[in-house]
Amino acid sequence: MKPRAFLLDAYGTLFDVHSVVVQGAGEMRGDLPALSALWRQKQLEYTWLRSLMGRYEDFWEITKAALQAAVAQLKIDASAAQLDHLLDAYLRPAVFPDAKSALAALDAPASILSNGSPKMLESAVRHAGLDDRFVEVISVDRVKTYKPSPSVYALGAKILNLPAEQILFVSSNSWDAAGAKAFGYRVCWCNRLGAAPDDLGFAPDLVVSYLDQIEADLRP
Amino acid sequence: MKPRAFLLDAYGTLFDVHSVVVQGAGEMRGDLPALSALWRQKQLEYTWLRSLMGRYEDFWEITKAALQAAVAQLKIDASAAQLDHLLDAYLRPAVFPDAKSALAALDAPASILSNGSPKMLESAVRHAGLDDRFVEVISVDRVKTYKPSPSVYALGAKILNLPAEQILFVSSNSWDAAGAKAFGYRVCWCNRLGAAPDDLGFAPDLVVSYLDQIEADLRP
């Protein structure tokens, strides 16, 4: 059965988080690919840790703290102004080309369910020219915890007013796909990098390499 | 004021998790330091993710799943028997030399509060010859979730029957130190590697480079 709605993750799925360092590093020197990887890793870790601690801070604050920790750990020499500039680039991440074409082709309404703060999501969607593509842009900020908490996934089904099994949840983050599957969504993992799957006990229903393969794969 | 009890993390704090690959890899080839780092990273990630998902599996199962995912991601060629052998070595991790001397010198009772399963902890403590050093060896398995959930830290204070602020919680994992501090313990971060601190909003009360510096640092 075709899904009645698509619910997409944002960072890593629609938006290329590693475009941020490319666009925002300016004159900064050092191992910038390592910075990008560690920044992302710490950003995710802090969402998980603060959620478990019951000490929510929004994704902008977490992204800032993760950047500072990554720069310190890699001993990258950067001024406060350079770090501000880099953080600011997180408001304008590049959209993946396959995301644009996929969104134009989906034959059911699409929405976003993301860790991002409302401000970050509004900016990223607008900058990517995707304003008219989404029915809902849903931030975890409404429940003050992060993925893969079931309360986040419940928010999506509630706002879309559909049973989770009639919604196709799409993420490039394999742990996010597992969390959504554990909650009850139909799930597509978009594995652009050909990564080995994580084993969290909940395999996706569908695996694609690019988002614009979803429609074809759903055809009977 | 001197703490009335010490409560120590196990893996990374008393036991060197990276000793496991050194001791258990046998004839396995590939980038073993990378395997050790990724295995540990995925092990921790799976504890956080499964806790947030509300899908607890014990630390032995998580350590096994993390090993398989790490081997797959690094494309390391290993037989099932080799992986079993490597996993089995997790029952006998090396104890840090400074942990042995520190435990002999502490002037208040010491206990363990660890993610490890009861079987893993019992084996590691016995193998290290530390059986008589601990009053309590407490596993998160009693509450079926992982650090840094407050329910784990609450378990320690409850079993020791002391207010958290009269217990010195000791961990080499900076996120664990932050979680314990958020709960209410006095906290010592043992930073053997001179790592940059994580910023989770809760700084430790004391930072040492080795566990056997704790006693001296607590002297008035």
Side-chain angles (χ1 to χ4, degrees):
Chain A
M1 203 185 74
K2 286 257 180 181
R4 293 180 59 191
F6 295 90
L7 186 57
L8 296 103
D9 172 54
Y11 298 103
T13 301
L14 297 171
F15 304 115
D16 181 358
V17 294
H18 298 296
S19 69
V20 173
V21 165
V22 175
Q23 292 173 14
E27 299 297 308
M28 277 174 64
R29 291 291 166 265
D31 188 342
L32 298 182
L35 174 62
S36 190
L38 187 61
W39 185 9
R40 173 64 170 167
Q41 184 191 320
K42 287 201 172 283
Q43 179 194 50
L44 291 175
E45 285 183 9
Y46 289 7
T47 62
W48 302 328
L49 292 164
R50 280 192 169 271
S51 294
L52 274 176
M53 289 162 69
R55 302 283 185 166
Y56 179 83
E57 293 273 351
D58 84 13
F59 202 56
W60 184 252
E61 293 304 317
I62 278 190
T63 300
K64 180 158 59 178
L67 174 60
Q68 285 162 346
V71 162
Q73 184 168 319
L74 295 172
K75 299 185 169 62
I76 287 176
D77 192 24
S79 67
Q82 283 176 320
L83 293 182
D84 282 349
H85 186 75
L86 188 47
L87 186 64
D88 197 60
Y90 229 101
L91 296 172
R92 296 174 300 280
V95 62
F96 286 111
D98 58 302
K100 281 217 155 182
S101 49
L103 288 167
L106 294 178
D107 66 356
S111 297
I112 286 177
L113 178 64
S114 166
N115 276 344
S117 71
K119 177 187 94 167
M120 294 170 78
L121 290 171
E122 194 273 336
S123 172
V125 167
R126 184 167 32 81
H127 179 259
L130 297 174
D131 307 66
D132 59 349
R133 292 291 180 209
F134 300 109
V135 180
E136 300 281 352
V137 177
I138 307 166
S139 165
V140 303
D141 199 60
R142 300 198 205 185
V143 288
K144 308 284 188 226
T145 192
Y146 286 99
K147 297 175 178 181
S149 165
S151 61
V152 169
Y153 299 111
L155 186 65
K158 185 183 164 204
I159 290 177
L160 298 187
N161 197 26
L162 285 172
E165 65 271 19
Q166 295 183 16
I167 299 170
L168 188 73
F169 182 89
V170 182
S171 181
S172 294
N173 298 294
S174 101
W175 57 271
D176 185 21
K181 186 68 197 168
F183 175 74
Y185 288 107
R186 280 177 72 188
V187 170
C188 171
W189 178 35
C190 178
N191 184 15
R192 286 194 187 87
L193 301 176
D198 278 308
D199 178 8
L200 291 160
F202 297 88
D205 300 286
L206 181 66
V207 182
V208 296
S209 298
Y210 295 99
L211 294 177
D212 51 14
Q213 297 167 342
I214 294 175
E215 272 298 324
D217 282 15
L218 287 175
R219 268 181 222 131
Chain B
M1 201 185 74
K2 286 257 182 182
R4 294 179 59 190
F6 294 91
L7 187 56
L8 295 102
D9 171 54
Y11 299 104
T13 301
L14 296 171
F15 305 115
D16 181 359
V17 295
H18 299 295
S19 69
V20 173
V21 165
V22 175
Q23 292 174 15
E27 298 297 308
M28 277 174 64
R29 290 290 166 266
D31 188 343
L32 298 181
L35 174 61
S36 190
L38 188 60
W39 185 9
R40 173 65 170 167
Q41 184 190 320
K42 287 201 172 282
Q43 179 194 51
L44 291 175
E45 286 184 6
Y46 289 7
T47 62
W48 302 327
L49 291 165
R50 280 191 170 274
S51 294
L52 273 177
M53 290 162 68
R55 303 283 186 167
Y56 179 84
E57 293 275 349
D58 83 13
F59 202 57
W60 184 252
E61 293 304 317
I62 278 190
T63 301
K64 180 158 59 176
L67 175 59
Q68 286 163 346
V71 163
Q73 185 169 320
L74 295 172
K75 298 184 169 59
I76 288 176
D77 192 25
S79 67
Q82 283 176 320
L83 294 182
D84 283 349
H85 185 75
L86 188 47
L87 186 64
D88 197 60
Y90 229 101
L91 296 172
R92 297 175 300 279
V95 63
F96 287 110
D98 57 302
K100 281 217 155 180
S101 49
L103 288 167
L106 293 178
D107 66 357
S111 297
I112 285 176
L113 178 65
S114 167
N115 276 344
S117 71
K119 178 187 96 167
M120 293 170 79
L121 290 172
E122 194 274 335
S123 172
V125 168
R126 184 167 32 80
H127 180 259
L130 297 175
D131 307 67
D132 60 349
R133 292 290 179 210
F134 300 108
V135 181
E136 301 280 352
V137 177
I138 307 167
S139 165
V140 302
D141 198 60
R142 300 199 204 185
V143 288
K144 308 285 189 225
T145 192
Y146 287 99
K147 297 175 178 180
S149 165
S151 61
V152 169
Y153 299 111
L155 186 65
K158 184 181 164 204
I159 290 176
L160 298 188
N161 198 25
L162 285 172
E165 64 270 20
Q166 295 183 16
I167 299 170
L168 187 74
F169 183 89
V170 182
S171 181
S172 294
N173 298 295
S174 101
W175 57 271
D176 184 22
K181 186 67 197 168
F183 175 75
Y185 288 107
R186 279 178 73 187
V187 170
C188 171
W189 178 34
C190 177
N191 184 15
R192 285 193 188 86
L193 302 176
D198 278 308
D199 177 8
L200 291 159
F202 297 89
D205 300 287
L206 182 67
V207 182
V208 297
S209 298
Y210 295 99
L211 294 177
D212 51 13
Q213 297 166 342
I214 294 174
E215 273 298 325
D217 282 13
L218 287 175
R219 267 180 223 133

